[in-house]
Amino acid sequence: MAEHDEGFVLTTVDSITNFVRQKIAAPMIDSKPVQFGVNWARKSAIWPMTFGLACCAIEMMATGASRFDIDRFGAGVFRPSPRQSDLIIIAGTVTLKMGPVVRRVFDQMPEPKWAIAMGACASTGGPFDSYSTMQGVDRCIPVDVYIPGCPPRPEALLYGLMRLQDIIMREAPSAYIFESDGTVHRRRSFDDDEQPQIAAGSADKAEAAA
């Protein structure tokens, strides 16, 4: 037996399984054709959860109605259970008492899963700088897309959904391969993605100026 970094005891079968996942399955899944197909399927069939906290939920309902028709993006199947959802839209004010509930619901969602903070209240606490209001839902769950506004219109939610689809298309499908101890290592981008580079001369000038 071997011991995991976090203290979990892994058997020989677990070690072999992890080796197969990391050395064989992950490179196959992360190949360009498979990556495109998996991510395209994921972004085209997002199942949001039926979860509203305040007035932004009314705008979220309007987004699912016939005038705006979120079904065009494959995201119109609002599910009543977190175990059937892969997107949670925090639409409304999150209080400190509601924070643990939001976290519990998010933890019950299966991987891969994403979160959208809809509106000023969910993003930064909005106008409620009070003792009872959480100043941003990202204090209890990881947020992928922030949508400003009080409340944002359905068009803004659709735009945020399209930006989330862009994020999904850049993800590594193998990021959601579980380890034997239950941990998930999410990778948002590949190593060969373009990163902003600073020219050496510019860096030297910045150091000289400092």
Side-chain angles (χ1 to χ4, degrees):
M1 293 192 200
E3 187 172 348
H4 191 265
D5 294 338
E6 298 181 4
F8 295 94
V9 177
L10 302 180
T11 63
T12 304
V13 176
D14 292 332
S15 301
I16 295 175
T17 303
N18 285 343
F19 177 82
V20 172
R21 287 169 175 166
Q22 297 171 0
K23 303 301 182 181
I24 300 178
M28 291 177 58
I29 295 176
D30 286 342
S31 62
K32 291 298 182 181
V34 178
Q35 173 207 348
F36 177 83
V38 172
N39 288 341
W40 178 85
R42 285 176 175 173
K43 81 161 190 174
S44 302
I46 299 176
W47 286 10
M49 184 185 167
T50 306
F51 189 79
L53 294 175
C55 40
C56 280
I58 304 299
E59 300 295 327
M60 183 174 64
M61 296 177 206
T63 309
S66 58
R67 179 174 182 179
F68 299 96
D69 192 16
I70 199 174
D71 274 313
R72 294 176 295 158
F73 301 89
V77 186
F78 282 85
R79 307 306 300 172
S81 169
R83 292 176 177 85
Q84 300 174 354
S85 308
D86 52 14
L87 170 64
I88 183 170
I89 303 175
I90 307 298
T93 310
V94 183
T95 61
L96 295 178
K97 183 178 284 188
M98 194 66 185
V101 178
V102 174
R103 180 68 197 191
R104 186 182 306 118
V105 170
F106 183 79
D107 289 341
Q108 290 175 348
M109 296 168 57
E111 294 281 357
K113 56 188 176 184
W114 303 277
I116 291 179
M118 181 181 178
C121 290
S123 300
T124 61
F128 305 108
D129 188 8
S130 62
Y131 70 94
S132 62
T133 304
M134 184 178 294
Q135 302 302 301
V137 72
D138 51 6
R139 300 194 178 193
C140 64
I141 65 172
V143 176
D144 297 287
V145 176
Y146 296 87
I147 302 176
C150 185
R153 284 185 51 83
E155 294 93 340
L157 179 57
L158 293 177
Y159 183 79
L161 179 65
M162 289 189 289
R163 300 288 71 78
L164 178 63
Q165 290 178 328
D166 294 339
I167 293 175
I168 294 174
M169 286 300 294
R170 291 177 56 86
E171 285 185 341
S174 65
Y176 301 96
I177 294 181
F178 288 84
E179 300 290 347
S180 296
D181 58 0
T183 58
V184 181
H185 304 287
R186 301 179 67 175
R187 266 204 302 147
R188 289 300 187 185
S189 60
F190 293 97
D191 296 333
D192 57 353
D193 280 347
E194 295 183 1
Q195 299 292 336
Q197 300 290 334
I198 300 179
S202 300
D204 295 339
K205 292 179 181 178
E207 292 179 0

